[in-house]
Amino acid sequence: MKKLLAFLIVFSILALSGCKQNGKGVTVEQNEEYTKITLDNFKGCETVKIPRTPKEGALYYKTNITKGSISSSYDLGIFWNTERLVDADENNNSIGGGYYIDGSTSEISIIIEAEEKTSGEIYIGYKSF
């Protein structure tokens, strides 16, 4: 019983200390091919949830940061570690990925952090850009 209570307390603390969802300065558009995350003078930490069809595959990204810089990670759920996705700024945009996504994953969390006001787009998809 003590272990269960300890687990619930730790889980609650972690859940409350994470990034917020759909905050000011972040717009998310989804279609069949990709998810477009638009940043408009965004500063802080944001988590965007992206649905995943239940089959194995890979995660790809493309950045177009026009002002500021971001650091981003992805999380497949409680049984997986959070992994670095991409760091980008207005002078260093990139295309890449190919990160393995397990077939049991139904939703992917993209965590975006900006220490200064940042604008631009991040594209996330399951096919290479």
Side-chain angles (χ1 to χ4, degrees), residues 4-100:
L4 178 60
L5 182 59
F7 174 78
L8 291 174
I9 291 171
V10 170
F11 180 78
S12 298
I13 291 171
L14 291 175
L16 293 174
S17 66
C19 293
K20 61 182 179 173
Q21 289 185 334
N22 298 327
K24 189 174 182 179
V26 178
T27 306
V28 179
E29 299 173 44
Q30 295 180 340
N31 62 40
E32 293 179 11
E33 295 182 27
Y34 60 84
T35 298
K36 177 182 175 184
I37 304 167
T38 303
L39 307 174
D40 184 18
N41 287 319
F42 168 73
K43 180 179 178 181
C45 184
E46 181 75 21
T47 300
V48 176
K49 305 247 183 210
I50 298 175
R52 170 72 176 137
T53 55
K55 61 181 180 178
E56 292 185 16
L59 183 67
Y60 296 91
Y61 65 84
K62 175 181 173 184
T63 63
N64 183 24
I65 303 300
T66 56
K67 177 179 129 184
S69 64
I70 57 109
S71 176
S72 63
S73 306
Y74 67 97
D75 187 1
L76 303 178
I78 62 173
F79 298 113
W80 303 89
N81 293 327
T82 300
E83 300 288 341
R84 174 74 52 213
L85 182 63
V86 62
D87 294 327
D89 61 45
E90 58 194 282
N91 299 314
N92 186 22
N93 284 296
S94 63
I95 298 173
Y99 304 114
Y100 173 74

